């Protein structure tokens, strides 16, 4: 891993896993994709079915959790050799 990426990961790792999952998984994926799909629905149908908004939010929050968790573990495995060096 190059030095800039190592420094970025070090800063993100200092947030802690829970905060990382919220800031880089739950919020952007959950809220972002819910808004995106709601806008697409509005553009296609000229209305928003409000029953689907919380359902979308739940689904995309779960997706965001798994994506961020996978990224956390991937970065941990990349970053681990650098922490073992003297």
């Amino acid at each position: 891993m190059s030095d800039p990426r190592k420094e970025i990961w070090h800063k993100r790792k200092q947030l802690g896993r829970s905060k990382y999952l919220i800031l880089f998984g739950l919020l952007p994926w959950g809220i972002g994709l819910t808004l995106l799909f709601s806008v697409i629905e509005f553009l296609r149908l000229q209305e928003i079915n409000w029953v689907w908004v919380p359902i979308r939010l739940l689904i995309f929050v779960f997706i965001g959790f798994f994506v961020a968790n996978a990224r956390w573990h991937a970065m941990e495995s990349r970053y681990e050799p650098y922490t073992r060096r003297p």
Side-chain angles (χ1 to χ4, degrees):
M1 187 181 321
S2 65
D3 284 338
R5 294 182 96 194
K6 186 172 113 176
E7 291 174 17
I8 291 170
W9 173 244
H10 182 67
K11 288 178 185 176
R12 289 184 180 170
K13 186 177 179 177
Q14 287 178 341
L15 289 172
R17 185 171 173 263
S18 299
K19 211 170 200 180
Y20 177 85
L21 291 175
I22 292 169
L23 292 175
F24 294 97
L26 304 180
L27 291 178
W29 285 84
I31 294 173
L33 287 176
T34 299
L35 287 174
L36 177 69
F37 276 78
S38 296
V39 167
I40 291 171
E41 178 186 22
F42 182 75
L43 292 175
R44 290 197 66 197
L45 304 174
Q46 302 301 317
E47 65 179 347
I48 294 176
N49 187 350
W50 293 102
V51 173
W52 283 100
V53 174
I55 295 169
R56 285 184 192 124
L57 187 61
L58 282 172
I59 291 170
F60 293 137
V61 162
F62 280 120
I63 291 171
F65 170 80
F66 289 115
V67 168
N69 194 36
R71 288 191 59 174
W72 174 271
H73 288 295
M75 294 304 285
E76 278 285 302
S77 65
R78 277 191 213 160
Y79 184 68
E80 186 178 355
Y82 291 99
T83 59
R84 290 185 180 178
R85 287 186 179 171

